[in-house]
Amino acid sequence: MVGLTTPDDRSEIAFFDVETTIPFRAGQGYAILEFGSILVCPKKLVELRNYSVLVRPATLNLITPRSVKCNGIKREDVESAPTFADIADTVYDILHGRIWAGHNILKFDCPRIREAFAEIGRDPPEPKGTIDSLALLTRRFGRRAGDMKMATLAAYFGLGNQTHRSLDDVRMNFEVLKYCATVLFLESSLPDELIENSVTTSTPETSSRRRRNIKTSPLQSPADHQTGENSTTIPILSFVSSAEAPTDPFDMSTLRNEIAPEVLQSDVPMEEEQNQQSETVASEGTGDQEGFLELDKISISSIRATHVPLYDGSQIMKLQLFLGDRPLQLHCPRLKVRFGINGKFMDKAGRRRLNFVVDLYPSLCNVLQECDNAAQTISVDSGSDSDWNPVVIPMKGFLNCPTARIHIPTELNGDVDRYAAEIHQKEFSGAIATQKFISSNPKAGEIESLLNPGTVLDAFLSLEPYDYQQRAGIRLVARKLVIH
């Protein structure tokens, strides 16, 4: 158990994790069921102390079968546990003034801590920096292990199954970081040609052997030499090309940039992070209708989903929808806006994530439902156990009134208040329609003023499957909008 320390003794990194209930109705918050933390020496990377405790929520009815399925914490487990108010002093002492570390903590664990302290009327602890391993490993290690879920990363390195219990998950997170750092360090020390060769010769068998070998040690074990497997020394590390490998993964000045001053953000739906890669691409090719398919030219039976490389030459795979051999992008004329712009969620740069809801006519609804079926089948077959969010949303209280949510991608390289979708306006003079270009990188205010309930528009949409933090589905992303 962590003992109390003086305010000046804050050099340790505080890895922490919370397990919570899962909200089951709109507007309901999370309740912390367990808090776990380890304090780590940043110079020797050894665990110094640890603390773990179950927490009794305000009402046990918040613990549902769904939350039990996620973390295994039942009502009887916490009936006699302390409340968060009872442990608040200890949690504050562990976290305040230290660097915080964890997997996806900026979007989940940090907000939960702040909410828990607010509920008992106390100021929350403040970090002097954060290390979110989800963002850090995505940038530095890449998606060579598949998705960036902790369970997937742990399986890649042969570290066992994730238990979704706080202290176990924290220690697993710490071990995953050490293994990734070791691989990056070794990659940075090898000649470029060996790194390149390892990419072309890697196979499923060597990948499987890689995980078995790394389970014993990040380096090759003596047993490998005895069994003659030393010939696979290079491939077992799953190297990336020299262009992708960081030149100096242990440059401390670079690490200081990763441990940025804490800027906690509003809660963001978990699937948003999975689609950041697609948002970095501006609306290329949307100046006309090239590449976007008319609905009457789509044969439902030709829609398919498959895994493809994230980019040319990449070993990272993503799920993509096709019509035959063509990437599936849709031209959807005369959509009617049901609900205008919703921008209550924020991205990492503090930008509002904009989306709106439209009514669907039968032909579009049929296409989207078939896309859902195809993508969900491939997702399940590939081993995903995430909850699938259908792209077609039924309107509560209405029959045969399906809707869908359309997202407007953010412009990552320009003004923080601009978005990567072309906006045009269609004007009618008698029977003649003219189209006027408005903006290729509109501001949020421009979009909000145009997309009001009842507005009719033509939408040029890309369909982007996601699977992140136990939620999966298809996002409809607007590349071009023509407002009537």
Side-chain angles (χ1 to χ4, degrees):
M1 178 176 288
V2 174
L4 298 180
T5 58
T6 65
D8 295 332
D9 183 18
R10 298 282 156 178
S11 61
E12 306 98 335
I13 299 173
F15 282 78
F16 75 96
D17 176 77
V18 296
E19 297 298 329
T20 70
T21 59
I22 298 177
F24 51 86
R25 61 171 178 263
Q28 186 179 61
Y30 296 83
I32 292 178
L33 297 178
E34 187 176 42
F35 175 86
S37 177
I38 61 174
L39 296 186
V40 171
C41 172
K43 295 182 179 180
K44 297 183 179 180
L45 294 182
V46 295
E47 179 182 326
L48 301 175
R49 288 165 288 177
N50 66 78
Y51 176 77
S52 178
V53 62
L54 289 168
V55 181
R56 187 175 77 252
T59 171
L60 295 177
N61 291 334
L62 296 174
I63 302 177
T64 62
R66 187 180 177 192
S67 70
V68 173
K69 181 181 178 181
C70 180
N71 52 44
I73 301 175
K74 302 176 182 177
R75 297 181 184 183
E76 54 266 30
D77 296 329
V78 297
E79 282 179 338
S80 58
T83 64
F84 187 82
D86 297 328
I87 66 165
D89 286 340
T90 303
V91 173
Y92 188 95
D93 179 73
I94 291 170
L95 297 179
H96 186 65
R98 287 191 170 96
I99 292 172
W100 295 1
H103 203 66
N104 198 37
I105 60 170
L106 283 177
K107 290 186 176 179
F108 189 79
D109 303 83
C110 293
R112 303 293 84 79
I113 291 294
R114 290 182 176 273
E115 292 164 2
F117 275 89
E119 288 176 1
I120 61 174
R122 290 185 51 171
D123 292 335
E126 296 293 345
K128 60 183 178 184
T130 58
I131 305 173
D132 191 322
S133 59
L134 174 60
L136 177 63
L137 294 181
T138 300
R139 286 195 298 272
R140 296 298 188 83
F141 193 69
R143 297 180 184 272
R144 66 182 83 181
D147 62 36
M148 299 307 290
K149 296 177 183 178
M150 184 52 58
T152 306
L153 289 164
Y156 179 76
F157 288 116
L159 296 174
N161 297 323
Q162 184 182 14
T163 64
H164 289 287
R165 296 300 297 269
S166 291
L167 192 57
D168 289 344
D169 285 3
V170 165
R171 285 176 170 152
M172 178 172 281
N173 188 186
F174 183 37
E175 289 301 309
V176 163
L177 277 173
K178 289 195 291 185
Y179 275 88
C180 289
T182 301
V183 170
L184 292 175
F185 176 74
L186 292 175
E187 286 178 353
S188 70
S189 305
L190 286 170
D192 290 346
E193 60 270 18
L194 293 183
I195 298 174
E196 292 168 356
N197 289 341
S198 70
V199 176
T200 59
T201 58
S202 181
T203 66
E205 289 75 15
T206 58
S207 297
S208 176
R209 183 163 57 248
R210 176 193 312 129
R211 288 189 288 270
R212 293 197 301 270
N213 292 340
I214 291 180
K215 183 174 183 180
T216 303
S217 168
L219 302 176
Q220 191 178 22
S221 69
D224 295 336
H225 294 280
Q226 296 171 10
T227 59
E229 291 188 347
N230 56 331
S231 60
T232 62
T233 301
I234 301 303
I236 66 169
L237 294 172
S238 182
F239 300 125
V240 297
S241 69
S242 57
E244 294 173 350
T247 56
D248 187 358
F250 285 90
D251 181 350
M252 293 307 292
S253 64
T254 307
L255 181 59
R256 280 194 294 272
N257 293 333
E258 302 292 350
I259 309 174
E262 170 69 357
V263 181
L264 292 177
Q265 304 152 41
S266 302
D267 238 352
V268 182
M270 295 178 182
E271 70 270 17
E272 302 288 4
E273 186 72 22
Q274 184 70 15
N275 295 285
Q276 281 186 352
Q277 180 69 29
S278 64
E279 291 175 343
T280 63
V281 181
S283 51
E284 296 177 2
T286 59
D288 54 35
Q289 299 182 19
E290 183 179 355
F292 292 83
L293 299 170
E294 305 292 337
L295 293 172
D296 59 3
K297 296 180 180 178
I298 294 177
S299 170
I300 296 294
S301 61
S302 298
I303 294 174
R304 65 185 182 90
T306 187
H307 284 99
V308 299
L310 185 62
Y311 52 86
D312 287 344
S314 173
Q315 293 181 316
I316 306 165
M317 306 299 285
K318 67 174 181 179
L319 187 60
Q320 187 168 338
L321 288 157
F322 290 85
L323 182 71
D325 295 327
R326 297 179 60 182
L328 184 56
Q329 299 186 100
L330 302 178
H331 172 214
C332 306
R334 301 196 63 81
L335 294 176
K336 186 176 182 180
V337 176
R338 166 75 65 166
F339 300 117
I341 288 294
N342 178 347
K344 66 180 180 180
F345 295 118
M346 313 292 284
D347 68 8
K348 287 188 173 182
R351 255 179 313 247
R352 296 166 62 207
R353 291 192 180 276
L354 304 185
N355 61 77
F356 59 99
V357 175
V358 297
D359 292 329
L360 302 179
Y361 35 80
S363 59
L364 177 55
C365 189
N366 292 338
V367 168
L368 293 180
Q369 287 178 330
E370 182 59 30
C371 291
D372 245 349
N373 293 338
Q376 185 177 12
T377 298
I378 296 298
S379 177
V380 172
D381 289 347
S382 64
S384 173
D385 61 353
S386 299
D387 292 334
W388 189 267
N389 297 323
V391 67
V392 176
I393 310 168
M395 283 291 295
K396 293 182 178 179
F398 295 88
L399 293 176
N400 300 319
C401 291
T403 62
R405 188 178 304 277
I406 296 177
H407 299 261
I408 300 177
T410 53
E411 173 58 70
L412 298 185
N413 298 319
D415 189 316
V416 296
D417 192 35
R418 290 190 178 273
Y419 293 80
E422 286 185 12
I423 305 294
H424 297 248
Q425 195 157 28
K426 183 178 286 188
E427 298 177 346
F428 295 87
S429 178
I432 300 175
T434 58
Q435 188 170 300
K436 181 176 68 175
F437 174 76
I438 296 178
S439 176
S440 61
N441 297 109
K443 290 188 175 183
E446 294 178 80
I447 299 173
E448 286 182 294
S449 66
L450 293 169
L451 298 179
N452 298 305
T455 298
V456 176
L457 55 85
D458 301 341
F460 295 79
L461 306 176
S462 61
L463 288 75
E464 301 181 357
Y466 63 84
D467 188 338
Y468 185 74
Q469 294 288 343
Q470 300 300 307
R471 296 175 66 183
I474 299 171
R475 280 176 96 229
L476 303 181
V477 179
R479 299 303 176 186
K480 175 181 173 182
L481 297 173
V482 181
I483 313 296
H484 289 219

